[in-house]
Amino acid sequence: MRINMNIDRYDIDALDQIYSTVSNLKDKSEILEMIGITMKDRLRTSSSEFTTVNFYRVSQAVEDYLKKMRLMRDELEELSKSCKDFAEKIAAIWS
């Protein structure tokens, strides 16, 4: 996900706040991904104690969760880079 690089479409004063917020969201998405990895490891550890279809469903749900967290992290990294590029463009214009 990238931002529109057209300067006329933004309140330039808010760009630092946008970059900060995106960076904060990216950090939180990494934490959520780590929680998903921990859940997957705990499921693997306890798999011998379960033989029901519900265990399979939970395993699939954790895999889906991890996939979505990875996609979100990638999107937020791209957005963060886009904001940084835009800030650099503005700084070059102002200097």
Side-chain angles (χ1 to χ4, degrees):
M1 167 187 326
R2 296 193 49 83
I3 63 171
N4 185 334
M5 298 293 269
N6 185 351
I7 294 173
D8 297 335
R9 301 199 43 117
Y10 296 101
D11 174 10
I12 302 303
D13 294 337
L15 188 64
D16 287 339
Q17 184 178 2
I18 292 169
Y19 183 71
S20 173
T21 300
V22 168
S23 180
N24 187 25
L25 287 172
K26 186 176 78 71
D27 292 343
K28 289 182 180 183
S29 73
E30 290 171 358
I31 291 169
L32 290 171
E33 186 176 357
M34 292 304 296
I35 290 169
I37 291 169
T38 301
M39 286 190 302
K40 182 178 177 180
D41 290 342
R42 289 185 179 175
L43 275 172
R44 191 177 308 131
T45 303
S46 62
S47 64
S48 62
E49 297 179 31
F50 295 94
T51 58
T52 66
V53 72
N54 289 334
F55 181 79
Y56 175 76
R57 289 180 184 157
V58 170
S59 297
Q60 286 301 114
V62 169
E63 286 297 327
D64 290 344
Y65 172 85
L66 283 171
K67 181 179 177 183
K68 289 176 183 174
M69 289 299 104
R70 287 183 201 112
L71 289 172
M72 181 174 65
R73 181 176 36 93
D74 292 344
E75 289 290 324
L76 289 170
E77 285 175 358
E78 184 180 15
L79 181 59
S80 181
K81 183 182 179 325
S82 180
C83 288
K84 182 179 177 188
D85 292 345
F86 189 63
E88 290 173 355
K89 177 181 176 181
I90 292 168
I93 291 170
W94 285 351
S95 60

